[in-house]
Amino acid sequence: MLPDADLLYAALAARDPAFEGRAFACVRTTGIFCRLTCPARTAKRGNVSFRASVAECLTEGFRPCRRCFPTGRPD
């Protein structure tokens, strides 16, 4: 069960390390998903939804961010 979306968005905006791995941010306008600690610019709240796992993000058609590597570092 995910925490409240507004709480997750606040964690995303603050890049709060306490939320690392608890959820992933999916950005509709770019089709990318990120860790909540991603250093990229924070998307507008209306464009962000949250998923509990990498598998959920991938299943819904989002691709991993190239800045925070939510699926793990590339080889």
Side-chain angles (χ1 to χ4, degrees), residues 6 35 40 62:
D6 290 329
R35 299 173 189 265
F62 291 96

Side-chain angles (χ1 to χ4, degrees), residues 5-70:
D6 290 329
L7 176 65
L8 290 172
Y9 186 77
L12 175 67
R15 295 179 177 83
D16 188 346
F19 285 84
E20 179 65 29
R22 292 180 61 189
F24 296 88
C26 298
V27 183
R28 283 185 273 280
T29 53
T30 61
I32 292 173
F33 73 97
C34 299
R35 299 173 189 265
L36 296 185
T37 56
C38 185
R41 188 179 71 151
T42 304
K44 291 180 182 179
R45 174 66 186 99
N47 296 329
V48 179
S49 59
F50 298 94
R51 304 293 182 272
S53 70
V54 168
E56 284 182 44
C57 298
L58 293 171
T59 298
E60 293 188 28
F62 291 96
R63 58 189 170 86
C65 175
R66 292 185 184 170
R67 290 191 73 182
C68 67
F69 301 102

